[in-house]
């Protein structure tokens, strides 16, 4: 069982939003690189793994290519690609909590770098070496490795990645979620490894990451990650 969440933003049902809705424009305009502008048929706002599975399956069944967005800090046009007919926005998923079953701290993909730094520090006084821009989304960030101000001292965020949950589509066009860990006995370990630098948007939709230092032991969440530096 998990301990209470440290952040609990507005809970939303899965929302399907068309171009006439102002929230559609908010998702499109979130993209950092204004050189590209998406024109999807609709945007999906999701708040759980189950909602992502359903949203992916719906888009696949409709034959609509889809892209996922978290923080909108894509430097390329991957999310705003005009071929993408559906954008799934996971940014409502921002929970950061200690997961006792996994023995690791879970961070949902919609949390930003700034929100993650704050939640980790305020709850446990710990840190992971994330990027230098607070509005970057964890969803697209960590899977690229993620470097920042602390990387000379602590390495990459990916060095602390214990596990990842990913929504994928199989050859029968059925969507499902899978958890991959760095445990050598895990048959999904290759999928975990792919998320330690393979780049976002390549393997599936990340719903959440779990973080724990490779040499951590015990079940005290305050001892699972590096202590935050003195300010
Ligand atoms: C101003 C700026 C500063 C930056 N600084 C740093 C830095 O200091 N260190 C560093 O390492 N990087 C840095 N980056 C790069 C940043 O980490 C990547 O661009 C990252 O992919 C952005 O993720 P996002 O979720 O914010 O972006 P989005 O635009 O939402 O997505 C970017 C890519 O990730 C995919 N993606 C998004 N969410 C998910 C998800 N849940 N599952 C799977 N794929 C997903 C998208 O489909 C897209 O291909 C910076 C980028 C910008 C624009």
């Amino acid at each position: 069982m998990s301990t209470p969440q440290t952040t609990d933003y507005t809970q939303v049902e899965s929302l399907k939003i068309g171009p006439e809705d102002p929230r559609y424009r908010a998702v499109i305009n979130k993209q950092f690189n204004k050189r590209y502008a998406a024109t999807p048929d609709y945007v999906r706002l999701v708040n759980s793994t189950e909602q992502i599975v359903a949203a992916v399956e719906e888009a696949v069944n409709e034959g609509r290519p889809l892209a996922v967005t978290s923080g909108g800090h894509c430097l390329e046009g991957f999310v705003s690609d005009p071929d993408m007919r559906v954008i799934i926005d996971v940014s409502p998923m921002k929970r950061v909590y200690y997961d006792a079953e996994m023995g690791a701290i879970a961070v949902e993909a919609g949390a930003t770098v700034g929100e993650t730094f704050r939640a980790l520090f305020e709850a446990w006084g710990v840190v992971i070496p994330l990027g230098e821009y607070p509005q970057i989304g964890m969803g697209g960030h960590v899977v690229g490795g993620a470097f920042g101000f602390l990387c000379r001292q602590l390495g990459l965020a990916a060095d602390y990645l214990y596990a990842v949950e990913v929504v994928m589509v199989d050859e029968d066009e059925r969507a499902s979620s899978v958890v991959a860990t760095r445990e050598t006995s895990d048959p999904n370990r290759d999928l975990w490894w792919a998320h330690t630098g393979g780049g976002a948007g390549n393997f599936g939709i990340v719903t959440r990451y779990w973080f724990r230092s490779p040499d951590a032991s015990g079940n005290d969440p305050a001892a699972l990650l590096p202590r935050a530096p003195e300010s």
Side-chain angles (χ1 to χ4, degrees), residues 31-32 67-75 78-79 90 109 131-133 135-141 143 146-148 200-201 204-207:
Q31 286 299 307
F32 180 86
V68 56
T69 186
S70 294
H73 277 64
C74 195
L75 292 159
F78 301 142
V79 176
V90 304
E132 297 166 11
Y133 203 77
Q135 275 81 35
I136 297 170
M138 291 292 280
H141 185 52
V143 65
F147 60 89
I205 298 184
V206 175
T207 65

